[in-house]
Amino acid sequence: MRFNSGLVECARPSPESFTRMSSRYVDAADGTRIAYRVAGEGPPIVLANGLSTSDFFWHHLMPRFTANHRVVSFDYKGHGESDPARTDAGASIPSLCDDMRRVMDAAQVERASFIGFSMGCQVILEAWRQMPTRVAALGLVLGPAGRLFDTALQPGAGPAVRQLLQRTPSRLLPSVFGVARRVTKLPGTFTVGKLLRFYGRSTGTDIDRYLDHFGRLDPQTVAKVALAGGTHDARDVLPTISVPSLVVTGDRDIFAPPRTVGLPMRAAIPGARMLRITDGTHASLFEHPELIGRALDEMMADADF
């Protein structure tokens, strides 16, 4: 199959060819063991996941990526196969970016197209701040440039979630996460999630992957990372970006709404492209992978390696 970016024809591997790959490990600055995976050959892509997710969120795009690129993905501290953060500082957005740099070094990737989903947009924008010479392109998918609780959910709901995380004693967080996971298993919850616009056309299999991963998160670390995302702000670097950039936004995304997130980001980044998905929710990586994949291909075709 020929991609719109003009890359050579080749057979696409199955999504499972990536998710079944064995993890490799590297130590973070605070000594936390970080898991990462590498697949494919070609111009490198580095993926930055959303809060509480792992690379299963790229499941539908992975065959497209690995057919013509070397793809590097890693788990944040307390996520997937990475260990819980050993220090509070290790859960900050700059620290997650440093973890990404260490993964790139271990994978012998000097320069790459960075693609971030949700909070991963903050992580890759921090990469532009910390190591711009290693950034060939920026794909900002359904995520903010800063302070994720300011724009997530309905007005007032995001700050309320932040306050809940701040006020809940650390020892109680595992119980809180356990209750949340049990609630998601109740009959009718999948339908309620659609009505609340958490997702649209996502399948039960996609959501099951997320719920399985949610049950393996380290609650204390995830809470720290979430609070760090709530204070981190990379909007100041947007006007300085000088590599091919794409902002993906969805009109039904309640976590990163176009009006307060996607449109201002696109306006602030010189020459940025935009993909606006009319019925796109925050789960558009599951629901619109072909649209998003084509737009990312076109952006990466202009990356300078």
Side-chain angles (χ1 to χ4, degrees):
M1 181 176 294
R2 184 175 296 278
F3 299 156
N4 286 358
S5 60
L7 297 177
V8 297
E9 293 186 19
C10 59
R12 291 182 182 171
S14 70
E16 286 74 16
S17 66
F18 189 89
T19 55
R20 285 200 302 258
M21 289 202 57
S22 298
S23 293
R24 309 175 192 181
Y25 298 91
V26 66
D27 287 339
D30 67 356
T32 304
R33 190 180 70 156
I34 304 298
Y36 71 97
R37 289 159 290 280
V38 181
E41 293 297 333
I45 295 173
V46 174
L47 302 175
N49 301 314
L51 178 70
S52 79
T53 78
S54 184
D55 49 36
F56 63 88
F57 241 80
W58 307 97
H59 181 80
H60 298 289
L61 276 169
M62 203 59 71
R64 184 183 207 107
F65 287 161
T66 56
N68 286 292
H69 295 274
R70 188 169 189 228
V71 182
V72 180
S73 174
F74 73 106
D75 293 327
Y76 297 142
K77 299 179 180 82
H79 294 64
E81 297 181 29
S82 291
D83 291 343
R86 293 191 176 187
T87 62
D88 289 350
S92 71
I93 300 298
S95 290
L96 299 184
C97 178
D98 185 66
D99 297 343
M100 185 166 61
R101 178 187 63 78
R102 289 166 182 264
V103 165
M104 290 177 67
D105 289 347
Q108 298 183 320
V109 171
E110 179 58 32
R111 185 172 168 87
S113 295
F114 287 71
I115 304 175
F117 163 65
S118 193
M119 192 192 74
C121 293
Q122 293 175 266
V123 177
I124 66 171
L125 287 171
E126 188 64 27
W128 177 255
R129 187 199 306 277
Q130 292 188 20
M131 48 182 182
T133 59
R134 303 188 72 168
V135 180
L138 286 167
L140 302 156
V141 181
L142 305 164
R147 298 208 297 266
L148 61 90
F149 291 116
D150 287 3
T151 51
L153 304 172
Q154 299 299 318
V161 173
R162 181 184 63 235
Q163 291 179 12
L164 176 64
L165 290 174
Q166 289 174 330
R167 294 176 180 177
T168 302
S170 179
R171 70 182 185 280
L172 297 181
L173 285 169
S175 297
V176 172
F177 273 60
V179 169
R181 190 166 191 272
R182 287 194 292 274
V183 167
T184 63
K185 295 292 188 180
L186 294 175
T189 302
F190 185 78
T191 300
V192 171
K194 284 190 174 182
L195 292 174
L196 294 175
R197 290 167 40 195
F198 290 161
Y199 41 80
R201 289 186 272 157
S202 297
T203 68
T205 301
D206 291 325
I207 303 304
D208 284 345
R209 287 193 185 99
Y210 174 74
L211 295 178
D212 177 67
H213 180 259
F214 188 86
R216 294 182 284 115
L217 295 170
D218 177 66
Q220 287 91 348
T221 300
V222 172
K224 291 173 185 175
V225 171
L227 291 171
T231 59
H232 176 264
D233 198 337
R235 284 174 291 186
D236 60 303
V237 307
L238 298 180
T240 73
I241 293 173
S242 57
V243 294
S245 304
L246 170 71
V247 176
V248 178
T249 189
D251 284 353
R252 294 176 57 81
D253 187 349
I254 64 173
F255 292 97
R259 183 180 62 82
T260 54
V261 178
L263 294 174
M265 286 173 63
R266 191 267 186 101
I269 301 172
R273 311 174 192 204
M274 169 168 275
L275 171 63
R276 185 169 182 175
I277 306 172
T278 303
D279 60 342
T281 71
H282 205 58
S284 287
L285 285 174
F286 296 153
E287 299 160 5
H288 302 283
E290 188 65 26
L291 277 177
I292 295 172
R294 286 201 305 267
L296 288 169
D297 281 347
E298 290 167 3
M299 177 201 71
M300 291 187 291
D302 292 337
D304 181 10
F305 289 94

